[in-house]
Amino acid sequence: PPGRKVLIVYAHQEPKSLNGSLKSIAVEELSKQGCSVTVSDLYAMQFEPRATRNDIVGCLHNSEEFNYGVETWEAYKRGSLSSDLVEEQKKVQEADLLIFQFPLYWFSMPAIMKGWMDRVLVQGFAHEFPNCYDSGLLKDKLALFSFTTGGSKEMYAKGGISGDIRYLLWPMQHGIMHFCGVKVLAPHICFAPEYVSEEKRKEMLIAWAQRLKTLWNEEPINCSPEWYFK
């Protein structure tokens, strides 16, 4: 719907890749709907994945002993987080929908994207105990994980060698997004694009474009462990 804001956090080195195409389709399709779309292209930005002292501008809350969680929380309250973090937090704050686009690395997201999670979703900004899960500070937002795998759909079935793909989504969707109060739409998974025909890859892109047309009508998944482990 016109006026909705979308942030795509994108982690792939090659624009011509399938991930690059999936990202471009999302930009195009959502813009066509009148949404305003922002992309954080993490590799192009040379985004810093490491959580370090550099994330705090000026003096530390406790210069005797460095505690990243405490220091970034305090810095957030004082408005003294580093500018790259403030920039990303502003994009998150404004977004109605977050789309994470990436290739699956070792059953997880690439380090550069995990670093984005580690550094951007600061206490005080995204969560603040007891305000987590359903009362997380980013409630009223939606997230969608769109990713490619090396293994086939059969490998990631419940009885398959890699186990149910949903098991891998538990730390990403539940442990990060839902923890911060974000509601999660069903993931969009392109299985083993490297091992299928050009024709099949085109179909993957068409399926994503189709889904995006009616995305705003979708209901979020059930946020309980049941969705992942039933």
Side-chain angles (χ1 to χ4, degrees), residues 118-206:
D118 292 349
R119 295 179 63 229
V120 175
L121 302 175
V122 166
Q123 184 167 357
F125 168 67
H127 58 90
E128 188 148 21
F129 194 81
N131 294 322
C132 51
Y133 289 118
D134 290 340
S135 59
L137 303 180
L138 301 181
K139 54 184 181 294
D140 306 326
K141 296 189 188 301
L142 290 169
L144 192 167
F145 286 81
S146 170
F147 59 97
T148 57
T149 67
S152 66
K153 195 168 183 172
E154 293 68 44
M155 289 171 77
Y156 284 111
K158 204 168 191 148
I161 185 88
S162 299
D164 194 330
I165 192 78
R166 292 182 180 205
Y167 303 157
L168 319 190
L169 289 162
W170 170 253
M172 299 190 253
Q173 292 186 165
H174 190 81
I176 304 176
M177 285 296 120
H178 184 205
F179 187 83
C180 297
V182 179
K183 292 184 180 64
V184 181
L185 295 174
H188 199 84
I189 309 166
C190 292
F191 288 99
E194 284 173 87
Y195 303 104
V196 301
S197 66
E198 192 52 49
E199 201 46 50
K200 274 270 181 290
R201 277 200 291 276
K202 281 210 180 76
E203 282 168 24
M204 289 175 175
L205 297 177
I206 292 164

Side-chain angles (χ1 to χ4, degrees), residues 17-36:
S17 64
L18 189 77
N19 274 274
S21 301
L22 290 161
K23 180 261 299 168
S24 301
I25 284 170
V27 172
E28 193 182 326
E29 202 50 61
L30 293 163
S31 302
K32 240 191 270 178
Q33 298 174 17
C35 302
S36 70

Side-chain angles (χ1 to χ4, degrees), residues 51-53 55-56 66-73 85 118-119:
T52 69
R53 160 76 179 87
D55 293 349
I56 298 100
F66 185 70
N67 177 321
Y68 185 81
V70 170
E71 292 298 343
T72 48
W73 184 22
L85 294 194
D118 292 349
R119 295 179 63 229

Side-chain angles (χ1 to χ4, degrees), residues 8-14 19 40-51 55 68 84-85 88 100-106 108-121 145 172 176:
I8 301 175
V9 183
Y10 162 68
H12 200 288
Q13 309 86 338
E14 174 52 67
N19 274 274
S40 285
D41 181 341
L42 301 181
Y43 286 104
M45 291 155 71
Q46 301 197 344
F47 187 80
E48 167 61 84
R50 295 170 299 183
D55 293 349
Y68 185 81
D84 60 338
L85 294 194
E88 294 306 298
F100 297 96
Q101 182 64 61
F102 59 98
L104 195 69
Y105 279 10
W106 295 118
S108 186
M109 57 187 92
I112 200 165
M113 184 176 278
K114 178 58 162 58
W116 186 94
M117 305 283 183
D118 292 349
R119 295 179 63 229
V120 175
L121 302 175
F145 286 81
M172 299 190 253
I176 304 176

